Every structure is written in C-alpha cells, then in structure tokens.
Amino acid sequence: MEDVARIAGVSQMTVSRALRSPETVSAATRRRVAEAIAAVGYLHNRIAGGLAADRTSIVGLVATTLKNPLLASVVQGVCDAIAHTGYQLMLGMAESIEDEEQVIRDFLSYRPAAILLHRTMHTKVARTLLKASGIPVVEIGNLVARPIDLVVSFSNFDAAERMTRYLATKYGQVGYVGMRSEGDERFKARRRGYLAALREAGIAAEPERMLELPSAGPGGGGDALVTLLAARPDTRAVFFAGGAFASDALAECRRRGWAVPGRLAIAGFDDYESVFPSMAAITAVRVPRYEIGRRATEVALARLRGEAGIPRRTEFTFEIIPRETA
Amino acid sequence: MEDVARIAGVSQMTVSRALRSPETVSAATRRRVAEAIAAVGYLHNRIAGGLAADRTSIVGLVATTLKNPLLASVVQGVCDAIAHTGYQLMLGMAESIEDEEQVIRDFLSYRPAAILLHRTMHTKVARTLLKASGIPVVEIGNLVARPIDLVVSFSNFDAAERMTRYLATKYGQVGYVGMRSEGDERFKARRRGYLAALREAGIAAEPERMLELPSAGPGGGGDALVTLLAARPDTRAVFFAGGAFASDALAECRRRGWAVPGRLAIAGFDDYESVFPSMAAITAVRVPRYEIGRRATEVALARLRGEAGIPRRTEFTFEIIPRETA
DNA sequence: TTGTAAGCGTTATCAT
DNA sequence: ATGATAACGCTTACAA
C-alpha cells in the first residue's frame, strides 16, 4: 500500500479510503489510486486491516449438514446474499452444541462481522461469548422464543401442528416419524406440534405410533414405517417430520404394494420439488429455506450498516402442499 | 495475551507457543498457560497472528452451486476433512470465470493457507495470482491436464465416453443432453466424451441429437427430451449429462406413457441414490464427490505440513450403475 | 478532501 | 525450553 500511495502521489490513508469508501475521496484521486493499484498489482491485505479495525468483513455461518438439500439451500441463500457485498463467508458444521461452541470460538478468533447459527440450542458459554462479542448474531433454525440477538426463521411447531391436523382430519390415526429430538429444539418443536394437534383433535397420543430416528441415513424412513405399522396396524397416515424419510417410505410402500394414500397416507417435512421436480408427488410442508438464509444475511448486514428498525424477529411462513400421497 | 502471559508468569512468546505448538513447551508451563487462559477468558486473535505470520489458517473453496446435492456433497467433504484441524473454511460461489477471479482476489486478501477450486478454467490473471501466492491450490472439478498446482478429481471425459458406449452398444442411437459447455471445461469434456464414444462405435454425430441447456433449472430435462425426440424420433437412448435432467426426463416419459427403457432408455450423470434412496432407479455415472472434496482438502493440508511425495494429480474413478432405465 | 502519527495483538528471529 | 525485540500492513483518531 505504501508503494501504491507513493505512485499515486497521495498518503496511505487516502489509498485506504479509496479502497473502502470511494465516495469520500475525490474522483481524480480515486482514479490515480486505481491506476497505481493496477500498476503495482496491489492486493489488499484484509488481515492487516482487520487487526487495525479489530474486526473483519467475515460472516460466520454454523450449519448442521449439507447432506440434506434443503439445508444446503439455506447456505446457498446466505452465499447469494453475501456475494458482491465485500463480505466473505466462513462456514462450519456442528453436530452437537459442544461442537457448536468450539466452532463459535474458532470463528470469533477471526473477529467476524456477524455470525449466523442454524442450531437453536447453545451452551451457556457459547451464548456468553456471542453476547460479549457485540456482533450481530442471527438464529435461523427455528423461530426461537428468546433469541441471543436476532432470529429469522419459521415455526417448526406450527408447521408440524398444521400438517398433523391436516392428516388427522382426513385420515384419523396419524403416526409420527421424526429426527431424534434430544438436544435439538427444532425437532422437539416438531414433536410438540404433532402432539398438540392430536390433543386438539381429541386423539390420544400413543408412544408406539411415534418413532424418532437417530440419523437421516438412507432408507431409514422405510424401516421406520414397517416398524410403526407392525406395532399399530390401524395407523392410516404417517407424518415423516424430517429428512428424506417420506420419500423412503413411499418407495417402501410401492415395494410392498401398499396403496398410498389408500392403505396409508404419507406426508413429509420439507418439499423437495425445487431440488427434484420429479419428486413432486409427496404431500409436504414447504419451508422457504433459501429465503431464510438470504434474509438472515440481509438482516445481519443491515445491522452492520447501522440501519434502524431492524426487527429482532422475522417470521417466515410455510405452506402445506397437498399432493398425491395424502 | 499479555494478561495471560503475566498471570502464567511467562512471556507472550511462550503463550503463543503453548497455543500453536504445545509440544515445544514444557508440560508444567503448558498447564499454567491453560489455566491463565481460562482465568481471563482469553480468545486467541487469529487476525493479529495472521498479520504477523503473513498467512492465516483459512482454506478457501470456490464452488459453483449448492443447488445440486452432489456438488453440495463436495463441500461437505471439504468441511468434514477440515473440521478439528485448526483450519477454517471460507466459501465462495462463482458462476463464471470472471466471478471466480474476483472471489480468488477476495480470498487472497485474507492470506489463506490454501485454495480449492471447483472450476477448471480460469482467467489469466487468476492463474497468475494463484501461482504468485505460493500456497497450495487444488482443482477438483475435472481431471485437468495442466493443473495450476494440484488436481484431485475424476475424468469427465472418460465418464461420458463410458456411459455413451454402454448406451450405444445396448440401444443404438444415443442422444445427448448436457449443460452449456461454453466456458466450462467439465461440460466440454463430457460432450467430447460422448462424441468420442460415437466415433468409436462408428455412429455419426448429429447436431440435432445433441442439446445443451443453459441452466439446470427444474423440469429442463423433460422439455429437452421432447425437443430432441421431435427432431430425431429414432433416438433410442438419451444420456443426460448433468444436473437432475435425467430425473426430469423420466418423469416426462411416465407422464406421456413412453416405456422406459422400452421406447427410450435414460441415463444420467451423477447418482442421486445417496441423497434420495427412492431415486435409485436411474442408470447413472456414480462419482465419488464427497471423497473428492475430502481428499482435496487432505492433500492441501499435507502439503502445508510439508509432507513429501504428494502427488500432483490424484485420479478418482467413477462407476457406471446400470439400473431400470437403461 | 487529505495527511500525520500511533498502535492494533500477534509471530519471526535471534539470543540465552 | 524460554525470552526480548522488531516487525507485520493496515485503520483509528485527530489535525489541517
């Protein structure tokens, strides 16, 4: 930068300004600086800048997995919103809240401008670190009641409740196959939503009609379906509240020659039509994942710009998409 | 860090060492430093460290999209390989080589330890910048002949050639629907592979039997199929060499009541079984995307560790998975 | 609109 | 195994 300044015949400070806020520098100077930069092949050192300013233009995102295409689309939304803004994305995965704490620590050591979290349960230390950092923190995995800072999401509870109500009204006895809810508020919320809908409908909840699977591994939905029906043959519909379980289950039904929805109705969480149009057969909850990622980023950047009136909580709605399977 | 050093009764340099290479510090000192760190709630400043060392522990990955689940799995592979190594992932998307150059510039301004590139064509400037940076650069999108530095990938050409040969042998006239190959070596290679296989088989290539689609947008494969068959009704098989085209096309055939593979055989590139087990019906090329992402990262980190004998080129193989559709 | 000076919190290097 | 010292290349704060 020293070279650039000398060649352009200005001070380093002017070069710095021309780079970061061109509008505060006269057009002529700006041009001379640009020429000098091209002449020496100068590459801005954002690390030095970060040290001087005690913060970088890095936005950290702690996600859970990219194996699920719809969670990947949250990340895609964040990427798209962040592109061409001068910010960069730092991405980490956390499979547990302890993991998350470590990733948050690692991120914080790079003095990021903001942090986005997909998980909604955090260790006490993680919350403390984030609050102490003073940077915008956006939670995106669920519409949490008491966000650390900001929340941009949808209600997993409402979604599961609405879908269960839809199924119960239409088919009667509804089973539930979800992700292991221990340690994860999102899956807990879905489970609670299911139970709430049964309660409203005056249907007794039965443990044997509810299954939780440890992972979204391939084929899990088919086995779960078989287990559940063996225990409760009078089940007329099953709500697969996670991953690609519903799609697995549908394949299983076809294999066994069970009519869908005649013998059994099937509904899923997350609509994969946007990923594979050919999968547009399953009744599902459609959640605007991509938009949530985008908006979360926009909200964080708006806050960094010092904009006023930024809502602490941004709720996205979901849709129940009735299709052939329910 | 000053505080930590004072409390532990050592110099800053010792604290720094205890943090970065614990083995060079005595066990007793290490413990005292650890206690002091906990006592003051010290958070390492990797930005200051990065400035002093003129490089960070950031690994940059320039991907193309996360909309395709299999490209997302490359990123997942990178994430998994990088987790718990002390390195962090910086992720950017580039839709063109100009885009890529800009992202590379942005990454380089953070003085990363290594850079991974999914694209395999680059601007002259991008190549120059990367070479001048002196850091490991791994190309992962195709088994390029002249890598900038390292390459970890599979041969798109061979894969397309093998699948085309399989189809031609079994069905005769084979059509091709691919991604727009202009400006993208990966798609060019697939197209060349298709043409090479026809040549071997002594079948004349016909422009009307080949289509390139500008994007992997939903449903594109179905329309392409209809267009292609209208122009060349004697086509007996179509190789959908990208995205979810094959899945779209299969859905279209079912809609129109065309027997598959009776009337028309269908094959795809990339096998989505790992994402949706229920899609395990389409004959496809299976590419170990996740493993490529993992290995690319491992190779980069090995190089950073100064390991010897790191291959400039790592070739992954693919498989042709014959299924119901071809 | 531009410039001056100080200092951000580490690590490299050399010394002990 | 540990310490002293000098950078590292910017930005903040203030001045002109």
Side-chain angles (χ1 to χ4, degrees):
Chain A
M1 183 179 265
E2 206 179 319
D3 296 347
V4 174
R6 202 179 45 251
I7 293 178
V10 296
S11 72
Q12 280 199 39
M13 205 46 233
T14 300
V15 175
S16 176
R17 277 191 276 250
L19 246 32
R20 298 181 306 148
S21 37
E23 67 283 1
T24 66
V25 167
S26 78
T29 307
R30 203 154 54 212
R31 199 176 39 70
R32 296 220 315 285
V33 170
E35 282 164 6
I37 285 176
V40 296
Y42 169 74
L43 201 60
H44 197 176
N45 187 332
R46 311 280 254 121
I47 294 300
L51 177 59
D54 196 34
R55 72 186 197 76
T56 61
S57 294
I58 291 171
V59 172
L61 167 61
V62 188
T64 53
T65 179
L66 293 171
K67 284 172 200 148
N68 179 326
L70 285 167
L71 295 188
S73 77
V74 176
V75 181
Q76 178 75 48
V78 173
C79 282
D80 288 356
I82 226 171
H84 315 297
T85 60
Y87 288 90
Q88 296 301 321
L89 176 65
M90 188 170 268
L91 178 67
M93 297 290 159
E95 298 194 340
S96 66
I97 60 175
E98 291 76 22
D99 252 28
E100 191 199 57
E101 179 183 321
Q102 186 53 54
V103 176
I104 288 171
R105 251 181 222 290
D106 291 343
F107 278 9
L108 253 17
S109 73
Y110 283 97
R111 303 298 185 263
I115 286 189
L116 273 30
L117 303 173
H118 197 298
R119 300 194 151 268
T120 50
M121 294 181 81
H122 320 283
T123 65
K124 188 118 188 69
V125 172
R127 296 189 91 92
T128 308
L129 285 170
L130 289 169
K131 281 190 171 145
S133 74
I135 63 177
V137 173
V138 191
E139 287 170 272
I140 59 182
N142 190 28
L143 199 68
V144 290
R146 284 179 61 268
I148 296 176
D149 183 15
L150 304 164
V151 56
V152 173
S153 196
F154 72 100
S155 167
N156 279 274
F157 177 90
D158 288 355
E161 184 187 32
R162 275 259 298 282
M163 177 58 95
T164 306
R165 197 187 308 149
Y166 169 89
L167 295 172
T169 304
K170 212 162 157 188
Y171 302 96
Q173 289 297 356
V174 182
Y176 176 90
V177 177
M179 306 278 277
R180 190 158 48 99
S181 61
E182 188 194 325
D184 198 304
E185 201 198 11
R186 295 169 294 153
F187 304 138
K188 276 201 176 91
R190 293 182 194 175
R191 186 194 172 97
R192 281 191 285 108
Y194 164 78
L195 292 171
L198 290 192
R199 211 174 308 123
E200 286 167 46
I203 301 172
E206 298 170 273
E208 288 197 313
R209 228 187 280 281
M210 299 175 65
L211 246 49
E212 292 204 342
L213 272 39
S215 86
D223 298 343
L225 176 64
V226 172
T227 307
L228 198 149
L229 282 193
R232 290 281 148 194
D234 62 329
T235 303
R236 301 304 319 284
V238 178
F239 177 24
F240 292 88
F245 294 155
S247 146
D248 297 349
L250 179 58
E252 185 72 34
C253 286
R254 285 185 177 150
R255 252 193 307 280
R256 294 181 177 248
W258 293 346
V260 176
R263 162 65 187 91
L264 188 80
I266 288 178
F269 205 101
D270 269 334
D271 180 36
Y272 291 96
E273 187 190 6
S274 60
V275 186
F276 293 115
S278 56
M279 285 188 63
I282 301 175
T283 296
V285 182
R286 178 182 291 163
V287 178
R289 303 280 189 181
Y290 176 85
E291 287 304 329
I292 289 174
R294 252 199 113 90
R295 181 74 69 83
T297 310
E298 287 165 359
V299 164
L301 299 189
R303 167 81 148 264
L304 289 169
R305 267 182 255 112
E307 284 179 24
I310 294 165
R312 181 173 177 75
R313 165 191 158 121
T314 303
E315 175 165 8
F316 272 80
T317 56
F318 52 84
E319 287 174 88
I320 303 290
I321 314 282
R323 296 239 186 70
E324 302 163 26
T325 64
Chain B
M1 182 180 267
E2 206 179 321
D3 296 347
V4 173
R6 200 179 46 251
I7 293 177
V10 295
S11 72
Q12 281 199 37
M13 205 48 232
T14 300
V15 176
S16 177
R17 275 192 275 251
L19 246 32
R20 297 182 306 151
S21 38
E23 68 283 0
T24 66
V25 167
S26 79
T29 307
R30 204 155 54 212
R31 199 176 38 71
R32 297 220 315 287
V33 170
E35 282 165 6
I37 284 175
V40 296
Y42 168 76
L43 200 62
H44 196 173
N45 186 332
R46 310 280 254 124
I47 294 300
L51 178 60
D54 197 31
R55 72 187 197 78
T56 61
S57 293
I58 292 172
V59 172
L61 166 61
V62 189
T64 53
T65 179
L66 293 172
K67 286 172 200 149
N68 179 326
L70 285 167
L71 295 189
S73 79
V74 176
V75 181
Q76 178 76 48
V78 173
C79 283
D80 288 355
I82 226 171
H84 315 295
T85 60
Y87 288 89
Q88 296 301 320
L89 176 65
M90 189 170 269
L91 178 66
M93 298 290 160
E95 298 193 339
S96 66
I97 60 175
E98 291 76 21
D99 254 26
E100 191 199 56
E101 179 183 319
Q102 186 55 52
V103 176
I104 288 171
R105 249 180 223 290
D106 291 343
F107 279 9
L108 252 18
S109 72
Y110 282 97
R111 301 300 184 263
I115 286 190
L116 273 30
L117 302 174
H118 197 297
R119 302 194 148 266
T120 51
M121 294 179 80
H122 320 283
T123 65
K124 189 119 189 67
V125 172
R127 296 189 92 92
T128 308
L129 284 170
L130 289 169
K131 282 190 171 144
S133 74
I135 62 176
V137 174
V138 190
E139 288 169 272
I140 59 182
N142 190 29
L143 199 67
V144 289
R146 285 179 60 268
I148 296 176
D149 183 14
L150 306 164
V151 56
V152 173
S153 195
F154 72 101
S155 167
N156 280 274
F157 176 91
D158 289 354
E161 184 187 32
R162 275 258 299 285
M163 178 58 95
T164 305
R165 197 187 308 148
Y166 169 89
L167 295 172
T169 305
K170 211 163 159 190
Y171 303 97
Q173 291 295 357
V174 181
Y176 175 91
V177 176
M179 305 278 277
R180 191 159 47 101
S181 60
E182 188 194 325
D184 198 304
E185 201 196 12
R186 294 169 295 154
F187 304 138
K188 276 201 176 93
R190 293 183 195 175
R191 186 196 171 97
R192 281 190 286 107
Y194 164 78
L195 292 171
L198 289 193
R199 211 173 309 123
E200 287 166 44
I203 300 172
E206 297 169 274
E208 287 196 316
R209 230 187 279 281
M210 300 176 62
L211 246 48
E212 293 204 342
L213 272 38
S215 87
D223 297 344
L225 176 64
V226 171
T227 307
L228 198 151
L229 281 194
R232 291 280 147 195
D234 62 330
T235 303
R236 301 303 319 284
V238 178
F239 177 24
F240 291 88
F245 295 154
S247 148
D248 298 349
L250 179 58
E252 184 72 34
C253 286
R254 284 184 178 149
R255 250 193 307 280
R256 293 181 178 249
W258 294 347
V260 176
R263 162 66 187 92
L264 187 80
I266 287 177
F269 205 100
D270 270 332
D271 180 34
Y272 292 95
E273 187 189 7
S274 60
V275 186
F276 292 113
S278 56
M279 285 189 63
I282 300 176
T283 295
V285 182
R286 179 183 289 162
V287 178
R289 303 280 188 180
Y290 175 86
E291 287 304 330
I292 289 174
R294 253 199 112 90
R295 182 74 68 81
T297 310
E298 286 163 2
V299 163
L301 299 189
R303 168 81 147 265
L304 289 170
R305 267 183 254 113
E307 282 179 26
I310 294 165
R312 180 174 178 73
R313 165 189 159 122
T314 303
E315 176 165 8
F316 272 80
T317 56
F318 53 84
E319 287 175 88
I320 302 289
I321 314 282
R323 295 237 187 71
E324 303 163 26
T325 64

